Amino acid sequence: MSAVYRKSLFNIPLGMIYLDGNSLGPPLKEIESISENVIVKEWGGKLIKGWNESNWMEQPLSVGNKIANIIGGDKGSIVAGDTLSIKTYQALAAAIHLKPKRNIILTDIDNFPSDIYIAEGLVDSFNSNFELKKVKKNDIISSLNEQVNTVLLTHVNYRTGAMFDMENITNKVHENGSTIIWDLAHSAGAVPLDLKAINCEFAVGCTYKFLNGGPGSPAFIYVRPDLIKKCYPILRGWLGHKAPFDFNNTFEKSTSIEMMRVGTPSVIQSSILEKSLDVFRDLDFHELREESIKLSDLFINMVERTCSDLHLESPLNSSERGSQVSFSHPFSYAIMQALIDRNIVGDFRAPNIIRFGITPLYVSEEDIIQTVKVLEEILSNRLWDNPTYLNRKKVT
Ligand SMILES: *Cc1c(COP(=O)(O)O)cnc(C)c1O
């Protein structure tokens, strides 16, 4: 087993090969203590006193600091809360006000829909000639010009797993005098990240994917420390105020990253997340990355050899790929259903992609070999051609 493998720490159904940690990570076994410690003792035992006595109010910052350790941010540069869609709105709204003379937001046309919708909604709320420009990923750099205010990109594409060269793009955006926001939804907890070295202005991400925080766990926002004083929150909730319990009727922003807080934090979910993040404390991300590449390359090579009907949608070159492998096939939805029926869980993204999250914390080489074996059986015997597999569920 690899040095990063620690499946015994997780609650994953016996016999299941779980290849969907890029969509929803599994719970740590240790999480079960939350029910006694946080629900029974803190909430039930202390009720309203819990806010002070159990440091619930500080949690968004303490969780943010733990995330900072994982993605290479300074202490006090990240706060947790809300959902990624909200955090994307906040980052974008803060960013564009830093360059008032520039009127273009540039993004990848294949970005995750929420990132695009949020940007479009923000642009629509202005009475000006502000514009969202969506271009193909290879045209991002050539689309930079003196009108580009902010570039909003997701580091690893949710559909294909294609990964941007974060350093190169950030440098090009900065040379152009523009601001960059990195969405780390599919990279935090999956690939080595060093926000300080990259020097990006903003970053956002969610925590229920590779960070295993559980369904609906809080998102996070990073603001480069020198900008915390300069930028202004547009979503102004009471907890972004510098003194929320003064209950002033005029907003004065917090002087810390807490200005990006909005409302009451989700204490139970944050407590789960806080424990989940501990799994990364002693983890060497370069070892994790190495193992992820080894498993992904093995997967791709074996599929190429034995399942030639599947078309690779991820980059073949591992340096251009996150921790996910995707294939397409005209009947990919049914193929995935057949696979799930055989206790191997990945997922499907319209129109025709099946995705496999490669998470070396709980996926081994044997799991990959077994997955390809079952895939081959499904394909060569057309086991996917079954009416129950063709029926599209609400969540795919
Ligand atoms: C998963 C994901 C989201 C989801 O946003 P939520 O507000 O957490 O539902 C947004 N953007 C990207 C790039 C994602 O991968």
Side-chain angles (χ1 to χ4, degrees):
M1 280 305 156
S2 80
V4 296
Y5 189 78
R6 48 202 72 183
K7 189 176 184 180
S8 62
L9 298 180
F10 290 91
N11 236 328
I12 297 173
L14 205 65
M16 179 187 284
I17 297 177
Y18 192 61
L19 299 169
D20 215 356
N22 53 317
S23 187
L24 178 68
L28 284 172
K29 287 179 183 160
E30 217 190 321
I31 297 305
E32 287 166 18
S33 66
I34 299 287
S35 126
E36 177 62 20
N37 293 338
V38 181
I39 300 181
V40 177
K41 290 197 182 136
E42 289 186 8
W43 178 21
K46 298 178 185 177
L47 289 170
I48 189 86
K49 293 183 293 179
W51 288 111
N52 288 319
E53 293 177 7
S54 300
N55 296 320
W56 291 343
M57 220 19 127
E58 283 74 43
Q59 229 175 11
L61 208 51
S62 59
V63 169
N65 285 334
K66 281 194 175 183
I67 296 171
N69 278 334
I70 295 173
I71 63 175
D74 278 315
K75 199 164 177 240
S77 63
I78 295 181
V79 71
D82 314 298
T83 70
L84 174 52
S85 305
I86 304 278
K87 278 350 208 187
T88 303
Y89 181 90
Q90 288 184 288
L92 201 49
I96 57 182
H97 285 93
L98 293 172
K99 315 258 173 184
K101 296 207 175 80
R102 294 176 173 231
N103 68 341
I104 292 175
I105 297 171
L106 189 63
T107 197
D108 174 2
I109 196 158
D110 293 317
N111 204 342
F112 190 87
S114 212
D115 298 50
I116 294 177
Y117 303 160
I118 287 282
E120 250 159 20
L122 183 64
V123 166
D124 281 354
S125 71
F126 296 142
N127 251 339
S128 68
N129 62 344
F130 231 89
E131 184 193 338
L132 175 70
K133 208 168 155 192
K134 299 175 271 190
V135 300
K136 291 220 172 75
K137 82 188 231 291
N138 291 333
D139 297 334
I140 297 281
I141 289 174
S142 62
S143 303
L144 291 169
N145 61 40
E146 70 287 355
Q147 287 311 109
V148 173
N149 180 315
T150 296
V151 180
L152 169 66
L153 293 176
T154 301
H155 185 204
V156 174
N157 183 276
Y158 73 105
R159 226 192 235 122
T160 63
M163 182 164 74
F164 278 112
D165 179 342
M166 204 175 188
E167 187 178 355
N168 177 43
I169 295 212
T170 304
N171 289 339
K172 293 280 186 336
V173 169
H174 286 170
E175 280 162 24
N176 189 58
S178 312
T179 299
I180 186 135
I181 303 172
W182 283 108
D183 185 331
L184 306 175
H186 289 274
S187 38
V191 300
L193 290 166
D194 189 348
L195 294 192
K196 264 199 314 198
I198 293 290
N199 202 31
C200 58
E201 285 87 350
F202 298 88
V204 292
C206 55
T207 61
Y208 48 81
K209 292 173 180 161
F210 290 97
L211 292 173
N212 312 316
S217 58
F220 64 86
I221 182 167
Y222 164 85
V223 181
R224 203 174 66 193
D226 61 298
L227 297 176
I228 292 177
K229 292 219 158 44
K230 279 191 207 150
C231 65
Y232 235 83
I234 297 299
L235 270 185
R236 290 170 202 173
W238 70 301
L239 291 182
H241 194 281
K242 70 177 193 189
F245 284 86
D246 284 357
F247 292 100
N248 263 320
N249 57 12
T250 318
F251 184 82
E252 275 182 89
K253 72 165 193 169
S254 161
T255 53
S256 79
I257 185 69
E258 291 191 271
M259 70 179 172
M260 290 302 183
R261 292 179 65 164
V262 184
T264 304
S266 56
V267 173
I268 295 166
Q269 195 77 63
S270 302
S271 305
I272 294 174
L273 172 60
E274 201 162 7
K275 274 219 178 304
S276 308
L277 294 175
D278 285 342
V279 104
F280 296 94
R281 208 173 31 200
D282 313 314
L283 196 77
D284 181 332
F285 265 94
H286 294 279
E287 275 181 10
L288 182 81
R289 176 71 176 149
E290 213 173 282
E291 185 62 17
S292 152
I293 290 176
K294 203 175 99 192
L295 295 174
S296 306
D297 283 345
L298 174 72
F299 193 31
I300 292 171
N301 291 335
M302 286 187 71
V303 165
E304 211 149 69
R305 245 184 298 125
T306 62
C307 311
S308 55
D309 290 353
L310 291 179
H311 176 74
L312 180 68
E313 292 288 342
S314 301
L316 184 59
N317 180 349
S318 61
S319 66
E320 295 166 19
R321 202 171 60 218
S323 211
Q324 168 193 329
V325 177
S326 304
F327 299 98
S328 62
H329 185 282
F331 290 96
S332 52
Y333 183 79
I335 292 168
M336 182 51 76
Q337 293 310 303
L339 204 57
I340 292 172
D341 226 9
R342 287 155 182 82
N343 227 1
I344 300 177
V345 179
D347 66 15
F348 166 87
R349 283 294 173 266
N352 61 351
I353 287 191
I354 44 178
R355 307 190 298 179
F356 299 91
I358 307 296
T359 43
L361 296 179
Y362 49 84
V363 173
S364 66
E365 211 171 282
E366 289 74 56
D367 293 338
I368 297 293
I369 293 169
Q370 176 64 14
T371 300
V372 180
K373 202 175 132 215
V374 176
L375 258 178
E376 187 191 359
E377 268 167 32
I378 292 172
L379 285 162
S380 53
N381 300 312
R382 292 179 67 99
L383 299 177
W384 51 265
D385 196 0
N386 173 330
T388 61
Y389 296 152
L390 293 161
N391 190 8
R392 195 77 67 89
K393 298 195 175 92
K394 187 167 177 193
V395 175
T396 60

